[in-house]
Amino acid sequence: SVFQRTTEEIKSIIEVCKENDIEIIGNVFRRTAEETKKIIEVCKENNIEITGSVFLKSSQKLKENIDYIREEFGSEYLLPLIVSKDNKTLRTVLPYLREQGYLEYIKNSASILSLKLEQIQERERFIKKQGGSIIDERGKFNSIFGLSNKNYERRVAELKESVEPEKKGKSKKSLARVVKDVPIMNANEAQSIFEEITEEDQQLDA
């Protein structure tokens, strides 16, 4: 960051940005002036818009991502928020999204690439279980994919808490209706049924 650079380094980076008409934002100070030049060159060579996200990767890592994406998926996917993602994630997630028919949506909704494949699949199952759609009405990935791990776990826990009381209520009502329709022949049988109901209620409330 800017606080880890000397005054001279900061001046050099700012000069590089001005020479290339690049907005001077926090991410550019992650790299040296020389590395910033290389990143800019890589982006210009590949017609990639130069935004703050491209400075999250070194010029070498950026080029590796660009070469992989162009070869496997085409130049239309050479966008700042895609090429700046982790290479391992790109190599596992992009083929999966293509297989599922969702690849084209990352052009306008690339935040899903911040998740690992296992996390995407888990959230996909969660959405489908709730009767939701993976792609929303705006043509973007469901907002569940944009949640942090902490917020996602909270959402799952909240849903589970709201469903449990409902399940318990339904179970008790069903049991009451069944018992009500059972003819009771004597006092011993009535006592036995009462004990079974009590035991089941205790298990449901546990």
Side-chain angles (χ1 to χ4, degrees):
S1 72
V2 64
F3 299 109
Q4 297 173 322
R5 301 291 177 192
T6 65
T7 302
E8 288 304 313
E9 286 177 324
I10 293 172
K11 286 181 179 179
S12 297
I13 293 170
I14 291 174
E15 188 61 32
V16 170
C17 290
K18 286 182 176 180
E19 287 174 359
N20 292 276
D21 197 25
I22 303 298
E23 184 180 2
I24 302 170
I25 54 178
N27 283 342
V28 299
F29 296 104
R30 288 172 173 266
R31 310 295 168 187
T32 63
E34 186 61 32
E35 180 63 10
T36 299
K37 283 183 182 179
K38 291 181 180 179
I39 291 172
I40 292 171
E41 288 174 5
V42 169
C43 289
K44 286 184 174 181
E45 287 172 1
N46 294 280
N47 297 316
I48 295 173
E49 181 184 2
I50 302 172
T51 65
S53 60
V54 299
F55 296 101
L56 294 172
K57 295 292 177 191
S58 67
S59 58
Q60 181 180 348
K61 292 289 184 183
L62 201 60
K63 192 172 187 312
E64 287 177 8
N65 287 349
I66 291 169
D67 290 343
Y68 168 69
I69 293 170
R70 176 185 285 110
E71 182 177 344
E72 295 294 328
F73 307 98
S75 298
E76 62 184 300
Y77 292 98
L78 295 180
L79 301 172
L81 290 175
I82 298 177
V83 299
S84 59
K85 293 298 189 289
D86 177 71
N87 186 266
K88 184 178 179 181
T89 298
L90 292 176
R91 288 177 179 274
T92 54
V93 171
L94 290 182
Y96 176 76
L97 294 179
R98 178 169 58 186
E99 180 184 324
Q100 299 300 312
Y102 302 138
L103 184 63
E104 64 178 293
Y105 297 103
I106 65 168
K107 288 185 282 188
N108 296 315
S109 188
S111 61
I112 194 172
L113 296 176
S114 297
L115 299 173
K116 295 179 180 179
L117 178 59
E118 296 76 18
Q119 294 172 315
I120 291 174
Q121 292 173 327
E122 179 187 338
R123 297 187 188 200
E124 189 176 7
R125 288 191 294 269
F126 175 79
I127 293 168
K128 289 182 177 179
K129 189 174 181 181
Q130 309 313 312
S133 300
I134 304 302
I135 306 300
D136 65 20
E137 63 279 0
R138 302 169 302 164
K140 294 187 176 184
F141 286 102
N142 190 299
S143 59
I144 289 292
F145 293 110
L147 295 177
S148 65
N149 289 332
K150 184 177 180 179
N151 287 336
Y152 170 68
E153 290 170 2
R154 183 182 299 150
R155 177 74 65 85
V156 173
E158 288 174 352
L159 182 65
K160 186 176 181 181
E161 288 175 3
S162 67
V163 169
E164 284 302 318
E166 184 181 344
K167 283 185 176 180
K168 289 182 180 181
K170 286 182 178 179
S171 297
K172 289 183 180 181
K173 287 179 182 178
S174 299
L175 181 59
R177 283 196 293 270
V178 171
V179 172
K180 189 175 181 180
D181 294 334
V182 175
I184 298 174
M185 305 304 295
N186 53 56
N188 288 336
E189 188 174 353
Q191 178 64 32
S192 175
I193 292 175
F194 175 74
E195 291 174 354
E196 287 181 19
I197 293 173
T198 302
E199 183 179 350
E200 289 189 21
D201 281 349
Q202 291 174 343
Q203 290 176 352
L204 287 169
D205 293 331

